[in-house]
Amino acid sequence: MKRAFSFRNIIVLLGASLLLSSITIAITILRKTAHSPKSSPQLILWAWERPTDLRFIDAKHVGVAFLAKSILLRSDDVLVRPRLQSLQLVEGTKVIAVTRIETDRDHKASLSAQQRDAVSRAIADLASLPNVSEIQIDFDATKSERSFYRDLIKDVRSHLPAQFRLSITALASWCMFDDWISDLPINEAVPMLFRMAGDGKHIMTRLDAGDDFNATPCRQSYGISLDEQRPKLLPSRKLYVFNPDAWTEKSLREISESPR
Amino acid sequence: MNRFPLNTTSKFDRSGRTKLSLIVAALIIGQVLAIPFLLPQRTQACGPFFTDAIFVFSKHPDFPLDKFAAGKLGVVSESWARSYLVIAYRNLAGDPLSDAEAKAIKSLWDDRLNNSFDYYSDSWVKDWNEARKAAGATAPVEVQVYRNREKPREYESFLNCQQDAFINATKLLNERVKLFGVNSQQVKSWLAAQDTVFSNCSEGRHLPKDAAAELPDLPQLLRADRAYQIAAANFYSTNFDEAKQQFEAIARDKGSPYQVIAPYMAARSMLRKGSFAEKEDEGRPFLNDAETRLGAILKDNSLKDSHHAADRLLNLARLRAHPEEKLHELAREIMKKDASQDFKQAVWDYTILMDKYVEVEDEAAKRQLPASLGSDDLTDWIVTFEGDLATGEAHAIEKWQKTKALPWLVAALANAGGKQPLLNELLAAGANVSPSSPAFPTVAFHSVRLLKEANRAAEARAMLDKILAGERQQLNSSALNLFLGQRMMAAQNLNEFLQNAPRVPAGFSYNDDGRELPDEDSAPKASEAPKSLFDLDAANVFNKAMPVAILKDAASSKTLPANLRRDVAQAAFVRAAILDDRETAIQAAASLGAELPQVKEFLDAYQKATTPEGRRFAGAFLTLKFPGLRPFVSAGVGRTTAVDDVDSYRDNYWCTDPPTPQNGSPSEDAQGKNKSVAAPDFLKTAQTLAARQYAALQAFGPGPNYLCRLSIEWAQKNPTDPRAPEALHLAVRSTRYGCTDNDTGRWSKAAFDLLHSRYPNTTWAKNTKYWFK
């Protein structure tokens, strides 16, 4: 009986396998590159609630994540405030639309399905803004709010076109000690390394010592503030920067030129 | 994991089966080889904001704000929001608020502190849909009241359709229903047109059909309605010129029920057009046009029904067209009691305008304010008091010399430094301010500050002692704490220091948004005596500027309340033990044992240790058993977990630096430099020793490293000590729940390895499954 797998066949088989695996790996790398941080600017400025003129930035190297919407959850209500301050950008700037969510401390949010639906639609609406290719959610959810937030993220993801990136800001403790975010359908979680309370000092020490975040989504970027000390940062990661004052060419230079 | 689909085409010949088998095999193998690159990367291990004490409010005066509005100013701070400085000025100028003004300003503060003005609620549209349903509408409409601006401001929105639009529409709809009936053709037509109007709130340009085209026999009233609706649709779709012309036409139509309101709407169209202009000078002609139209309305008695609305809109138009002029106009209104018809609105508009002029973009440009800004006294005073002027000190003194007015004395004292040539005159004037004056706390605080800066410490102390003895009950908490802080730093001996270090907080707050809003749940109950805590200034002195022998004396002093004495006692013992100052540690142990009886057994072991190693280990073992002990004193609320429990937010053992308040400022500034700590007068000569001891403490690194090292050393030399395996277990635990650095991992592993190799069958080893990096 003729042997199905002669020596020659084996060589051919191995060669074909190698070729195929190379193609697969290459395609995977390309797909990752399309959404990887490296294809977009590595420095992102947060533009918050003040008139902001960033027409001086180099859009090839600097992107902008601007506060596009603020949402307050109060009892059963969803109170929405879009951006009411000017934002002036240079053509071609990579733009991330951020939604900040807060819950009213005096009138506890019901966190109902209806509320979640209203919030997710309000966030997903931001995808229609010009030049926006990424949505970011900023919500310091307490432990009791996590289930709501998890479902909200899933809902937002389902409303967004597939090519849209979805990121969240993350408390540094979520990234380091309290990982509940690794299985969320997000592209990125930006660890916020400023205005930290609790074990913030400990986290800074760990990062200075060369440790990394435990939660995978937190390993692409850092969030820092101009007015606070920062730990040792890996230069390969994207940097989001908050400025408590207005952005100027001087403050941009300060962050662009400071060593990591 | 991504998978490529298998190619199962059957067009191969017989030998193709072999080829197919090869292809399939290749695909499978190829995928297997590629798996590491396709699998998601795997890796290996709330919101923590805490309530903490606020000793001196920095964003606003002490609560309740009614007292502030009534003239109990406390120490006025330049960091407060301007609406508070406005009221401070009124009181300092001898013109306190009327009851109506006090009520109005309280309403403004409530709105701003609660952000309640800021959010749109969907109740406007809900109510409108209720009215529609009652009129026969079968389905609700979705209306988005905000509209995006056009390029280049496409990321900015504005509130296009305001609440009054829905209220008026509801009123009119109800009237039309009464006239024509629910579900009538006329009402349906009206409602459809109104829905079209509101569809412009968020986007596009959607105009209702012309009345004649839709229903030729539409009654005159509804024709007039339609004309107005079309004009409104143009208004909301930002076609302001067309809207203006259409409103003007309505204003000329004597038969239209909108004849009176139409001129107002025409003016409003121009106001919006002017406000949306890209450049100020492009918008100015339209703002001026709006102003002219509104002025004409107010002069026309036949339009008196729209006078109130026109008056308010004129205020807004002038605000936008002539901001600086309006600023001063508002200031003059605000400065005089009951001069303004709408005090809340006046202060609101004034502070918004102030933000426009004094919003600092760049520190270098900060001081170059227009000279004319100071042409009214209120604005001049606020800008000077805040320190916004490069020439603030000189200007304040010049104004005080010229006017001798109390607000300017306050500004002069606040801006002056210890080398001011007119210091004695300022201080003399300050001394004449009566304790019942609203200015007293601010004047006194800055007088003390200036005396200290001028190296006149004895006078500063005397002034403070007089205030604290005579006026303590009249001072609010922030003011009292400020004076205590000043007196503490002027202490001539330990007892004076300890008398003035404890402070009752002015409030408790999460302060996660920086607004210092009180957390009512954390405030002490009315039936409880207020508890004193240390502020950061006192904690810094204890931790960095006080030699351990003096710390030990503080621990035994009855001057401190029990809770603070306990904190000092544990810091004294642990620090002395780490620094291996046996005598101090034994004396501190007596204090600590009295405050924390549960640690006595371990303190005894420390005292009974016969060797230095035994002593050091005993001290370490105590802190391993009681993770809440550390060589530092806490500021603010501090650690709230029981001393023998592990805190789940890692506030255990100690770090290289002392603990900071839960929401307080870091010990390093943004450049990573340690902030220097000022020493009180009586400790100035002990700073070399204090610095040496602090450096020695820091050299040991974070607590877990030190505890592991001592546990390992002891276990190696004293393997049969029954404490040894427990110590190793607790040491490994400390590396998980305490501060760490580069070296902690190797200490953790070393302790782990020794525990398992030397004591493998102990419960301690069995309960130590991991070591920690």
Side-chain angles (χ1 to χ4, degrees), chain B residues 711-712 715 723-733 751 754-755 759:
Chain B
S711 302
I712 291 166
R723 295 174 297 175
E726 185 183 0
L728 291 169
H729 161 79
L730 293 173
V732 174
R733 183 180 77 164
L754 184 60
L755 175 61
Y759 309 99

Side-chain angles (χ1 to χ4, degrees), chain B residues 431-644:
Chain B
N432 283 332
V433 172
S434 159
S436 60
S437 164
F440 178 79
T442 314
V443 165
F445 175 79
H446 285 290
S447 298
V448 168
R449 176 183 62 79
L450 287 166
L451 285 169
K452 290 174 106 181
E453 286 179 20
N455 293 320
R456 289 158 65 170
E459 289 172 72
R461 270 194 289 275
M463 187 180 287
L464 282 165
D465 286 342
K466 192 172 168 200
I467 293 167
L468 291 170
E471 306 307 324
R472 188 182 284 247
Q473 301 309 322
Q474 311 308 321
L475 297 169
N476 65 23
S477 299
S478 290
L480 176 59
N481 288 336
L482 280 169
F483 287 123
L484 289 172
Q486 289 182 316
R487 186 61 182 90
M488 183 191 79
M489 294 307 286
Q492 293 182 285
N493 54 56
L494 180 64
N495 195 47
E496 281 185 13
F497 178 82
L498 296 178
Q499 278 172 344
N500 295 286
R503 321 258 165 88
V504 174
F508 293 85
S509 175
Y510 279 98
N511 202 25
D512 50 350
D513 56 8
R515 287 185 291 154
E516 298 180 335
L517 294 180
D519 173 30
E520 300 303 336
D521 293 339
S522 299
K525 297 182 184 42
S527 54
E528 288 175 359
K531 196 162 120 176
S532 293
L533 302 171
F534 290 134
D535 198 354
L536 191 56
D537 58 350
N540 278 340
V541 172
F542 282 117
N543 292 331
K544 297 182 182 178
M546 186 177 284
V548 70
I550 302 178
L551 189 65
K552 170 261 304 173
D553 291 338
S556 61
S557 166
K558 298 295 179 206
T559 307
L560 288 174
N563 61 308
L564 296 180
R565 195 166 57 240
R566 185 165 50 245
D567 199 20
V568 174
Q570 61 91 36
F573 172 78
V574 176
R575 193 183 307 176
I578 293 172
L579 295 174
D580 209 16
D581 180 344
R582 182 177 180 274
E583 292 313 311
T584 304
I586 285 177
Q587 289 175 63
S591 304
L592 181 56
E595 300 299 334
L596 271 178
Q598 61 264 51
V599 307
K600 265 192 180 160
E601 167 198 342
F602 302 92
L603 292 172
D604 288 343
Y606 179 88
Q607 290 181 64
K608 286 176 183 154
T610 53
T611 63
E613 296 81 9
R615 187 169 65 234
R616 285 194 287 271
F617 174 71
F621 192 63
L622 166 63
T623 56
L624 282 170
K625 294 286 282 185
F626 295 88
L629 299 180
R630 64 270 308 264
F632 301 119
V633 150
S634 294
V637 167
R639 189 179 189 273
T640 53
T641 308
V643 70
D644 55 350

Side-chain angles (χ1 to χ4, degrees), chain B residues 163-427:
Chain B
Q163 190 177 22
D164 62 343
F166 297 97
I167 291 173
N168 290 336
T170 299
K171 181 168 166 274
L172 280 169
L173 175 59
N174 291 340
E175 284 173 9
R176 299 302 174 261
V177 165
K178 262 197 194 131
L179 268 177
F180 299 105
V182 171
N183 267 328
S184 62
Q185 273 298 92
Q186 293 88 347
V187 163
K188 278 185 185 166
S189 167
W190 189 98
L191 193 52
Q194 193 58 38
D195 285 344
T196 305
V197 171
F198 284 147
S199 69
N200 292 290
C201 294
S202 56
E203 55 79 34
R205 186 187 181 204
H206 315 283
L207 299 183
K209 285 188 190 141
D210 186 75
E214 187 183 322
L215 279 175
D217 57 350
L218 210 58
Q220 181 54 34
L221 177 63
L222 293 180
R223 286 174 188 271
D225 285 348
R226 185 60 54 89
Y228 188 86
Q229 285 168 324
I230 292 172
N234 274 309
F235 177 83
Y236 289 126
S237 59
T238 70
N239 289 297
F240 297 121
D241 287 330
E242 208 147 327
K244 178 195 77 175
Q245 282 168 15
Q246 288 168 348
F247 284 127
E248 282 172 344
I250 294 169
R252 290 191 292 270
D253 179 359
K254 288 190 170 69
S256 171
Y258 303 100
Q259 197 195 15
V260 168
I261 196 69
Y264 165 83
M265 286 306 299
R268 201 169 155 191
S269 304
M270 290 298 96
L271 178 58
R272 278 217 178 172
K273 182 165 180 173
S275 302
F276 286 174
E278 219 16 69
K279 295 193 173 93
E280 249 184 65
D281 48 358
E282 283 170 7
R284 196 169 300 284
F286 305 105
L287 294 176
N288 290 338
D289 181 15
E291 203 181 335
T292 305
R293 287 170 185 268
L294 291 164
I297 291 170
L298 288 170
K299 287 192 179 122
D300 186 341
N301 245 1
S302 69
L303 301 175
K304 69 176 186 295
D305 284 347
S306 56
H307 277 187
H308 179 68
D311 190 45
R312 289 186 73 137
L313 202 66
L314 180 60
N315 187 50
L316 184 60
R318 297 196 66 241
L319 225 121
R320 292 196 182 153
H322 318 285
E324 197 182 317
E325 199 181 305
K326 188 67 190 168
L327 178 84
H328 298 306
E329 192 183 298
L330 287 167
R332 282 188 291 274
E333 266 180 54
I334 290 165
M335 281 197 290
K336 211 165 149 218
K337 186 185 291 203
D338 287 331
S340 169
Q341 284 186 340
D342 190 339
F343 189 69
K344 176 181 173 180
Q345 191 66 52
V347 176
W348 193 292
D349 291 343
Y350 176 78
T351 51
I352 297 289
L353 283 172
M354 275 290 274
D355 288 346
K356 178 184 154 69
Y357 281 101
V358 203
E359 182 63 45
V360 291
E361 298 276 324
D362 184 323
E363 280 299 319
K366 184 175 178 161
R367 312 298 181 205
Q368 305 304 319
L369 295 167
S372 56
L373 204 62
S375 66
D376 74 82
D377 210 56
L378 171 66
T379 309
D380 192 9
W381 183 83
I382 289 178
V383 162
T384 309
F385 183 79
E386 280 181 338
D388 292 321
L389 292 178
T391 53
E393 184 176 355
H395 178 67
I397 288 180
E398 185 197 339
K399 287 286 294 212
W400 169 65
Q401 283 182 304
K402 203 166 146 186
T403 64
K404 295 292 185 232
L406 189 57
W408 287 106
L409 173 62
V410 166
L413 284 164
N415 273 274
K419 292 187 167 45
Q420 166 56 236
L422 293 174
L423 182 62
N424 285 336
E425 283 85 342
L426 281 174
L427 292 173

Side-chain angles (χ1 to χ4, degrees), chain B residues 641-695:
Chain B
T641 308
V643 70
D644 55 350
D645 261 346
V646 169
D647 177 76
S648 49
Y649 286 101
R650 286 180 167 71
D651 189 7
N652 302 302
Y653 319 103
W654 61 93
C655 304
T656 314
D657 289 325
T660 45
Q662 296 286 10
N663 299 318
S665 64
S667 58
E668 291 169 331
D669 61 21
Q671 280 75 46
K673 295 180 192 144
N674 270 310
K675 292 181 187 169
S676 60
V677 167
D681 291 351
F682 81 103
L683 282 178
K684 283 196 174 2
T685 53
Q687 287 312 288
T688 307
L689 175 59
R692 200 165 58 235
Q693 288 182 348
Y694 184 68

